[in-house]
Structures are given as C-alpha cells and as structure tokens.
Amino acid sequence: MSSVDSLDSLMTQLRALADQAQGVKVPDKSATGPDDFANTLKSMVGSVNNQQSQANALQSDFSNGDKSVSLSQVMVASQKADLSFQTMLQVRNKLVSAYQDIMNIQA
C-alpha cells in the first residue's frame, strides 16, 4: 500500500468520524474499526521511515564515492523523503485538530 493510498484511506476514515460526531449517518466503506485506523497510521509512518532510510543510504553511498549513485538520484530521493515527511506532519496536525474538535463538542 502506497503512502497516497494510506492517506486516502485515513482521510476517508477521518471524514466518517467527523460525520458521526455531527450526527450524520454515513455508510462506512473502508474503516471497520480502530485497528484499521492504527494500521493505516503505522503503515504510513513505516513508509516515510523507509523513504528516509533509502535517501540516507544513497547520500552515504554518494559521499563514499560510489560511481553508480548520481547526485540527481540523491536529490530526488531526499526530496521524496522530505515531501513524505511533510505530508505525514500535516496529517498529524489534522488529526490533532480533529481530536480537539471532537473533544470540544458538547453533548
């Protein structure tokens, strides 16, 4: 599962939770429970970690003079890892915001 698919699944689950908090009945297609949500987050964090590890390995190989690694490969891998991390950071911010909104709902 790619990080984009994970993010789409996560956003679908967040929308469903927000609709439930507002009292809107929406059929839940993707989320079957908290375990799926946790697994999606875990998968997303793992994917970001793998991209950062690959970028670091390419940087090390390039620094050590490996002729099979070009500067452009290093830069692309670094930018992909940074973009993935920034996306994950924004998802975290949205999750925190959604959690705070749900906690502020008065019954």
Side-chain angles (χ1 to χ4, degrees):
M1 178 181 278
S2 72
S3 61
V4 173
D5 293 335
S6 297
L7 184 59
D8 285 341
S9 174
L10 181 62
M11 292 306 295
T12 302
Q13 292 174 6
L14 282 175
R15 285 186 189 108
L17 287 173
D19 288 341
Q20 285 176 351
Q22 294 176 354
V24 177
K25 291 287 185 183
V26 176
D28 192 9
K29 299 176 214 168
S30 65
T32 58
D35 288 336
D36 287 338
F37 184 77
N39 288 336
T40 301
L41 284 176
K42 189 175 185 179
S43 172
M44 190 172 150
V45 170
S47 175
V48 170
N49 186 43
N50 287 339
Q51 286 184 340
Q52 288 179 335
S53 296
Q54 290 172 354
N56 288 339
L58 283 173
Q59 288 173 357
S60 293
D61 290 345
F62 183 77
S63 295
N64 292 331
D66 188 347
K67 300 287 184 194
S68 66
V69 179
S70 69
L71 179 60
S72 61
Q73 286 177 311
V74 173
M75 295 305 295
V76 168
S78 296
Q79 289 299 315
K80 282 182 179 180
D82 183 55
L83 186 59
S84 294
F85 179 76
Q86 293 299 323
T87 302
M88 185 182 69
L89 186 63
Q90 292 301 319
V91 169
R92 184 212 47 142
N93 291 344
K94 292 290 184 182
L95 286 171
V96 169
S97 176
Y99 176 78
Q100 289 172 341
D101 289 346
I102 290 170
M103 288 294 113
N104 289 332
I105 292 175
Q106 294 182 3

